Amino acid sequence: MKIICIGRNYTDHISELQNEKPEDPVIFLKPDTSILLKNQPFFIPDFSDQVHYEVEVLVKIKKVGKHIQEKFAYKYYDQIGLGIDFTARDLQQKLKEKALPWEKAKAFDGAAVIGEKWLSIDEVSDINMLNFRLEKNGETVQKGDTGMMLWKIDELIAYVSQFFTLKIGDIIFTGTPSGVGRVMPEDKLTGFIEDKQIFSIQIK
Ligand code: ZN
């Protein structure tokens, strides 16, 4: 399986990082080795002093597809989840300055948190009006609403499937809202969609 990540999909996060609003979605990949193993803590890697959390809504692909039209995109998923796109911000900044790819900052082992709990589409009233949030040590640090996405889930599926064949089990990370921040050892991160807890992880 592969993980396809969308960057800069919320205007407030774009201004937070002083990025330009892109004409097309920014896409990058994470390998399956970046998935944080179930019930394991996240260990801050020693190549970064500034690992940031980015809470993101996830979509799990259930059908093989290429060149999917937006109007048919809904047929390719029926589960919505939540995860964290861990980012070594200091490293990413250096790579960005040199216009180099971001993999070292985004695709390292453990950099993809995939919440254990998935919600079926029938459980949510409208995927384009979903509230989600991240708590750090019990305090809300990021709050989002899928209604604030620059590119909606179906548009993203249409867009990314122009480049990559989507396969069963692939996961799309749909981008983060504002409020990204640094993690420190002993932090606890808990993610929610609406009032449902989707994941809880310990930082070491
Ligand atoms: Zn992200």
Side-chain angles (χ1 to χ4, degrees), residues 46-168:
D46 44 16
F47 53 76
S48 177
D49 288 325
Q50 221 193 330
V51 172
H52 278 188
Y53 50 76
E54 295 188 353
V55 72
E56 311 200 359
V57 168
L58 314 182
V59 181
K60 196 191 275 181
I61 299 299
K62 66 162 184 176
K63 199 171 129 169
V64 177
K66 170 115 180 138
H67 295 301
I68 298 164
Q69 288 181 50
E70 188 187 328
K71 63 179 174 187
F72 297 127
Y74 72 93
K75 294 183 175 180
Y76 290 80
Y77 62 92
D78 57 11
Q79 285 185 299
I80 295 288
L82 196 71
I84 296 178
D85 165 21
F86 275 123
T87 304
R89 193 73 70 203
D90 43 359
L91 204 51
Q92 188 197 27
Q93 204 49 48
K94 282 184 197 159
L95 295 166
K96 270 184 179 174
E97 280 161 18
K98 294 178 184 163
L100 291 170
W102 298 353
E103 274 80 358
K104 285 196 286 185
K106 290 269 197 188
F108 56 87
D109 288 2
V113 173
I114 295 170
E116 258 171 71
K117 190 174 165 64
W118 289 85
L119 305 179
S120 82
I121 291 294
D122 321 327
E123 272 178 87
V124 302
S125 48
D126 184 348
I127 56 153
N128 294 314
M129 279 173 54
L130 270 186
N131 283 300
F132 58 99
R133 68 179 202 277
L134 181 71
E135 287 185 1
K136 186 174 92 171
N137 308 324
E139 224 176 278
T140 300
V141 285
Q142 278 193 284
K143 242 174 142 170
D145 185 313
T146 53
M148 288 154 43
M149 287 180 174
L150 294 178
W151 290 279
K152 307 282 179 238
I153 289 170
D154 289 0
E155 288 176 88
L156 291 173
I157 288 175
Y159 185 78
V160 300
S161 71
Q162 293 177 55
F163 302 93
F164 312 121
T165 297
L166 297 181
K167 293 174 77 177
I168 296 167

